[in-house]
Amino acid sequence: MTTIEVAGLALTYPGPPAVPALRGVDLRAEGGLLAVVGPSGCGKTTLLRALAGTERPEAGSISLGGERVEGPGLHLPAEARAVTLVPQEGALFPHLDVAGNVGFGLRGLPRDARRQRVAELLDLVGLPGSERRRPHQLSGGQQQRVALARALAPRPRAVLLDEPFSALDATLRVSMREEVVALLREASTTAVLVTHDRDEALSLADRVAVMHEGRVLQVGEPSEVYRRPSSLWVARLLGETVEIAGEVAEGVAATVLGRIPVAGDGERLVLRPEQVVPTREGVPAVVEGVRFRGPEASVALRVGDTALTARWASTELPAVGDLVRVGVRGPAIAVD
Ligand code: ADP
Ligand code: MG
């Protein structure tokens, strides 16, 4: 597993107008799967290109497995980095068959060795014997697997995946996600997966880096960045929030929902909707709306003057107009 270390990485696309796409990215991931999540335009693709060596940053450094590949006066070319990139679109060469695509990074190998490695990879991704097929004869999911096989074939130090599932339909997306992550784990490859989809980041990754306007705001395990966001912006990016007012004293907030333990130190209190639960000892609330969403529902509540949204299992839903009692599970997070 390859440790990836990025410090102070800055990259501006020359204009006019000049676009500062990376503004000092700091990041460290010790192998496994790192998801980089952020809105469109925040610099995710640029970060991957800088890691791959296809763009040259003007400042900062990158080390892969302890080897410095980017730094002041140093820019190891892409071919010398042993990192492969699965681009967002057009991942396969349409004029090459599957074997040609998967073997693309193996051109230095003798023909037999290359053929054997291609067959191995096609086995790994569940497409044995498909060497002679062409990209247009494959489904979207199969193309994705071939692209992954091509990226893994040269045994790279790290695989970089740029929104690999965004072109797939919803059902395929979920099954491909699980498959691809299982394949990456089987190949024991360090991977960086870029996405704007928070569910993807939170459900797949070992670590999540949250990116905003050319910077990484927070890096941590999925549960950590979701439950302990470092700012209101991160909290909102990673899920729905319940933002309430409260006086905090000695780690406890007095709020309309009662007294709630507080973690962190900031001005504003944030809960997740699933923390607001029906409970007999809770405070009275009026149900103002119920939006069914499958296994769970969003329940709009009013507590005094405060409107908030909870998320409850759809097996036990109240009706609009009901008077219920609600309480809070777990701490509120104080953020700025
Ligand atoms: P993301 O992948 O998160 O959507 P990008 O890294 O593609 O973000 O882009 C970051 C910023 O850099 C955006 O403002 C984008 O418009 C700009 N940008 C991306 N590529 C280029 C380029 N080749 N030339 C000029 N500006 C670019
Ligand atoms: Mg992008």
Side-chain angles (χ1 to χ4, degrees):
M1 289 278 185
T2 305
T3 299
I4 298 176
E5 289 169 278
V6 174
L9 206 66
L11 192 152
T12 303
Y13 290 109
V19 180
L22 302 179
R23 303 162 177 247
V25 170
D26 297 308
L27 186 58
R28 188 187 152 84
E30 293 181 25
L33 175 60
L34 170 73
V36 178
V37 62
S40 177
C42 72
K44 303 183 295 297
T45 296
T46 306
L47 175 61
L48 287 194
R49 289 199 198 121
L51 290 171
T54 55
E55 291 283 351
R56 184 166 190 175
E58 69 256 12
S61 64
I62 300 172
S63 297
L64 299 172
E67 184 199 357
R68 182 66 70 94
V69 298
E70 190 79 58
L74 170 71
H75 174 74
L76 204 67
E79 321 74 82
R81 292 192 183 196
V83 163
T84 51
L85 177 72
V86 180
Q88 193 163 357
E89 276 156 33
L92 298 181
F93 304 117
H95 57 288
L96 293 182
D97 62 12
V98 166
N101 270 283
V102 177
F104 191 78
L106 304 174
R107 282 159 300 169
L109 288 185
R111 185 193 290 220
D112 279 350
R114 186 168 62 198
R115 194 181 298 143
Q116 194 189 336
R117 180 75 181 142
V118 168
E120 243 172 66
L121 264 300
L122 290 178
D123 270 351
L124 178 72
V125 300
L127 293 168
S130 56
E131 279 88 344
R132 297 276 82 85
R133 298 176 75 184
R134 300 249 158 201
H136 73 266
Q137 297 172 314
L138 303 173
S139 70
Q142 290 171 330
Q143 290 183 28
Q144 201 66 54
R145 282 187 267 167
V146 173
L148 189 66
R150 185 180 62 188
L152 290 171
R155 304 183 199 278
R157 288 196 283 206
V159 177
L160 313 176
L161 303 126
D162 197 351
E163 312 227 15
F165 312 114
S166 57
L168 304 175
D169 65 60
T171 324
L172 191 56
R173 186 155 59 224
V174 173
S175 60
M176 276 305 293
R177 277 179 190 172
E178 305 296 328
E179 248 179 69
V180 164
V181 171
L183 288 173
L184 290 169
R185 294 205 198 286
E186 205 174 321
S188 309
T189 309
T190 296
V192 180
L193 185 151
V194 150
T195 179
H196 65 268
D197 182 330
R198 64 197 185 198
D199 297 329
E200 202 165 294
L202 293 174
S203 65
L204 298 183
D206 299 308
R207 288 174 80 73
V208 174
V210 180
M211 216 174 155
H212 177 52
E213 293 180 349
R215 289 194 185 88
V216 169
L217 299 186
Q218 190 175 4
V219 191
E221 288 178 15
S223 61
E224 188 183 337
V225 290
Y226 179 76
R227 296 197 191 288
R228 296 289 168 91
S230 60
S231 69
L232 188 58
W233 192 90
V234 172
R236 286 176 177 166
L237 181 84
L238 294 179
E240 287 171 52
T241 55
V242 175
E243 294 163 32
I244 53 170
E247 286 295 318
V248 182
E250 287 167 16
V252 178
T255 76
V256 290
L257 292 169
R259 292 169 60 76
I260 307 172
V262 174
D265 49 1
E267 296 278 294
R268 309 170 72 159
L269 297 176
V270 176
L271 295 166
R272 294 297 185 187
E274 64 273 18
Q275 288 181 266
V276 180
V277 295
T279 166
R280 211 168 288 154
E281 311 80 56
V283 299
V286 180
V287 176
E288 296 202 313
V290 177
R291 189 152 59 90
F292 182 73
R293 297 163 51 148
E296 55 189 25
S298 289
V299 181
L301 299 168
R302 179 165 293 279
V303 183
D305 290 336
T306 304
L308 54 94
T309 303
R311 198 175 305 139
W312 292 351
S314 48
T315 45
E316 42 193 293
L317 291 181
V320 173
D322 278 1
L323 192 64
V324 293
R325 283 182 175 272
V326 296
V328 172
R329 266 207 202 129
I333 310 302
V335 292
D336 289 319

